[in-house]
Amino acid sequence: MQQDFTYAVARVRFRETKLLNGADLDSLLSAKDTDAVMRILRDKGWGDNTDTAPDQIISIEEKKLWDFVDETVTDRSVLDFLRVPDDFHNIKAAVKCITRDIEPDGLFLYNTVCDPDKLYDCIKKREYGDLPDFIADTAREAMTVLLQTSDGQLCDIIVDKACMEYVYKLGKLSDSDIVRLYCELFVASADIKTAVRCAKTGKKPEFIRRAMAQCDSLDVDRLASAAYEGYDAIISYLSTTRYRTAVEALNTSMSAFEKWCDDYMTAAMKPQKWEPFGIGAIVAYIIARQNEIKAVRMILSAKISGLSEQTIKERLRDMYV
Amino acid sequence: MSEFFQNSGLFFALLGAAVATLMAGIGSAIGVGKAGVAASGVLAEEPSLFGKVLIFQLLPATQGIYGLLVGILILSNVGLIGGVKEVTALQGLLYFAASLPIAFCGLYSAIYQSKCAVAGIGTVAKKPDQFGKAILMPAMVETYAILALLISMLAIIGIAGM
């Protein structure tokens, strides 16, 4: 039976009024120091009413977001496409800690499908059968490759590619247009970033092709060839795709391209603000909240390191509200 | 068989009353339930909106009342409430036919009204000051339930005068 999201969407509608808007970000930006930013955030309901540190307030808000999702969405597997990238991140962290014989303190992400501590134990004991199917083979392969080659970069591309392929599969299985779009953009943007990095570091064609995952909006073989030819070939190819508007951002910097991806997704999600049924409104809210948290993290880090207001402003994403 | 048909006037009239009450009632139950789920979601976040969301939830309830009204009118006309009356097979079938507008329109209009009410609840959750405008949208759907009720009632009154 198809899951009913009426209750969750009604709660999301109210919570959307509490999201930070452009004016709120401006007031955070113009705050004179970190303490002033924290005061504004606490007034907006951030944190847990205690005198928390900047990094803690971010963790608290991330936890609040996923607690809310768990409370309102009965079958959380419909949102796995948002959580699984953190599972794959945890695989990378676990295999590196195990092979280097260090404790993974503070390295794991916890809003995941598989419990990170269980993941760590299973990989450490080589009991991959106890892991969920979607990560078992990847964990085994990553561990084997790292032990045999000690090549951390190879291990990373194996895990990242497996992550992209799984997210893409979840997108294909979804009935929601917004989920499919998110998964498509997730893979396409990762492929573009890989292509640019490979072009700039002069990687071999086999490596480039191995690092990229298939998606509908890009001809991955052509992108891989372009990456081998050089940066200009990538730009030339992208100009013929739906990502032609990203070219300018790519020419600026990788972080400008990441901002372009987030803004593209935010713009695509905006119609969900008026959609009373379906998972779209919930997905849009989660992504909007994650972007908001990302923006606040950026502002806090910039205030701590004394960056100028203009520098931060250039990197801030468009807000959902 | 022919004798059974001739004596089945009361049965068809009762069937009409049952169909009107049942289908419009099912529509209202689905509608009120769906709007109630959305209303509960908003209340979990903002309890002060109770009065506003309750009105949205109650909007799809009216179709069930219309079905009940038509049902009572048929029962009253055929003598199942009050004194016993003779009902011919033709009259019985006519009563059944008269119940169909509110039965079907009640069922569907309640379900669609609830969808509109859920959207209205979302609007009020974001902009409580827009309650007046938001309530108008689901209220529009009510028009068609009222039109169906009107036809059902006029038909029943007409049959009684035959």
Side-chain angles (χ1 to χ4, degrees):
Chain A
M1 194 175 154
Q2 208 172 16
Q3 201 176 167
D4 184 10
F5 299 101
T6 311
Y7 176 78
V9 174
R11 290 190 67 175
V12 159
R13 285 288 165 263
F14 182 79
R15 289 193 172 218
E16 280 171 359
T17 63
K18 307 290 173 196
L19 287 171
L20 299 178
N21 56 29
D24 294 325
L25 288 190
D26 285 342
S27 68
L28 289 173
L29 280 170
S30 55
K32 70 176 167 59
D33 54 21
T34 316
D35 288 341
V37 172
M38 292 296 282
R39 261 198 306 280
I40 297 170
L41 290 174
R42 281 192 206 103
D43 288 345
K44 293 267 171 206
W46 281 53
D48 56 359
N49 295 324
T50 59
D51 203 12
T52 43
D55 57 330
Q56 282 173 317
I57 207 166
I58 297 291
S59 314
I60 290 169
E61 288 306 309
E62 280 170 345
K63 187 175 181 310
K64 271 192 206 170
L65 169 63
W66 288 106
D67 284 350
F68 168 72
V69 172
D70 289 341
E71 198 182 315
T72 52
V73 178
T74 323
D75 175 12
R76 54 185 277 179
S77 67
V78 292
L79 296 167
D80 278 358
F81 70 97
L82 290 169
R83 297 182 202 253
V84 291
D86 287 354
D87 285 286
F88 286 95
H89 161 89
N90 288 344
I91 293 177
K92 289 193 273 186
V95 294
K96 284 172 188 168
C97 287
I98 292 165
T99 50
R100 288 172 196 166
D101 203 20
I102 53 171
E103 286 302 309
D105 298 327
L107 292 175
F108 286 147
L109 298 172
Y110 281 85
N111 296 313
T112 49
V113 176
C114 176
D115 175 47
D117 299 322
K118 180 188 168 190
L119 175 84
Y120 180 75
D121 283 343
C122 288
I123 297 177
K124 196 169 189 181
K125 293 174 188 163
R126 312 290 192 271
E127 290 170 351
Y128 303 107
D130 292 342
L131 290 172
D133 290 344
F134 75 96
I135 46 171
D137 289 343
T138 309
R140 179 187 287 115
E141 193 183 351
M143 190 67 184
T144 310
V145 165
L146 198 58
L147 285 171
Q148 288 174 353
T149 65
S150 300
D151 186 344
Q153 195 179 33
L154 183 60
C155 170
D156 283 354
I157 68 159
I158 288 168
V159 177
D160 288 340
K161 187 174 180 181
C163 175
M164 287 192 279
E165 285 174 344
Y166 189 64
V167 169
Y168 199 67
K169 184 182 156 194
L170 292 176
K172 284 282 177 197
L173 291 173
S174 175
D175 298 328
S176 162
D177 288 342
I178 201 81
V179 174
R180 282 197 297 273
L181 175 69
Y182 177 89
C183 297
E184 179 72 37
L185 191 63
F186 179 85
V187 177
S189 63
D191 280 345
I192 294 170
K193 278 186 260 183
T194 305
V196 172
R197 285 189 187 121
C198 288
K200 288 185 174 171
T201 52
K203 294 285 180 198
K204 289 179 181 166
E206 307 82 60
F207 181 93
I208 301 171
R209 191 61 195 86
R210 193 173 181 182
M212 288 181 181
Q214 282 293 346
C215 64
D216 287 343
S217 57
L218 288 172
D219 180 343
V220 176
D221 292 326
R222 220 175 132 192
L223 181 64
S225 311
Y228 182 62
E229 286 170 40
Y231 180 74
D232 290 341
I234 296 173
I235 295 299
S236 166
Y237 167 63
L238 287 179
S239 302
T240 64
T241 69
R242 71 163 84 155
Y243 304 108
R244 65 183 71 87
T245 52
V247 167
E248 196 184 328
L250 268 173
N251 283 333
T252 309
S253 66
M254 197 54 95
S255 61
F257 174 66
E258 282 168 3
K259 173 177 155 46
W260 179 90
C261 291
D262 288 343
D263 290 347
Y264 184 88
M265 197 63 215
T266 302
M269 287 184 323
K270 287 210 169 168
Q272 297 302 321
K273 281 197 276 190
W274 306 285
E275 182 55 59
F277 303 100
I279 195 175
I282 301 155
V283 172
Y285 173 74
I286 296 170
I287 297 170
R289 191 86 172 86
Q290 285 177 330
N291 278 347
E292 180 187 77
I293 293 170
K294 204 185 282 181
V296 170
R297 184 187 282 127
M298 222 179 274
I299 292 171
L300 282 168
S301 312
K303 292 282 173 194
I304 292 167
S305 52
L307 283 177
S308 75
E309 197 175 310
Q310 192 53 36
T311 313
I312 317 167
K313 216 166 190 173
E314 281 164 10
R315 296 183 179 196
L316 286 180
R317 274 68 173 156
D318 293 342
M319 291 287 108
Y320 181 56
V321 290
Chain B
M1 186 67 192
S2 160
E3 194 182 345
F4 169 76
F5 184 74
Q6 277 170 7
N7 295 326
S8 59
L10 200 58
F11 167 74
F12 285 120
L14 189 59
L15 190 64
V19 164
T21 315
L22 200 72
M23 289 179 71
I26 290 171
S28 279
I30 295 171
V32 173
K34 203 160 185 69
V37 170
S40 302
V42 173
L43 289 181
E45 299 290 335
E46 186 55 65
S48 70
L49 291 173
F50 173 71
K52 286 176 177 162
V53 295
L54 182 70
I55 294 170
F56 278 102
Q57 191 195 355
L58 288 177
L59 278 175
T62 50
Q63 283 82 346
I65 299 169
Y66 299 158
L68 175 76
L69 197 68
V70 167
I72 290 174
L73 207 60
I74 293 174
L75 294 181
S76 167
N77 280 3
V78 300
L80 284 172
I81 298 175
V84 179
K85 287 177 191 167
E86 187 69 30
V87 184
T88 65
L90 178 64
Q91 278 179 318
L93 280 170
L94 288 173
Y95 278 123
F96 176 67
S99 72
L100 296 180
I102 192 59
F104 282 96
C105 198
L107 173 69
Y108 286 104
S109 69
I111 293 169
Y112 282 97
Q113 192 174 38
S114 76
K115 292 185 177 184
C116 216
V118 168
I121 288 169
T123 305
V124 168
K126 281 178 109 165
K127 295 179 177 174
D129 56 318
Q130 296 300 312
F131 172 75
K133 288 174 189 164
I135 197 94
L136 269 177
M137 310 304 168
M140 294 291 184
V141 187
E142 190 76 17
T143 314
Y144 301 94
I146 293 170
L147 293 180
L149 172 69
L150 191 68
I151 292 302
S152 287
M153 284 182 70
L154 286 175
I156 292 164
I157 293 165
I159 297 161
M162 279 171 73

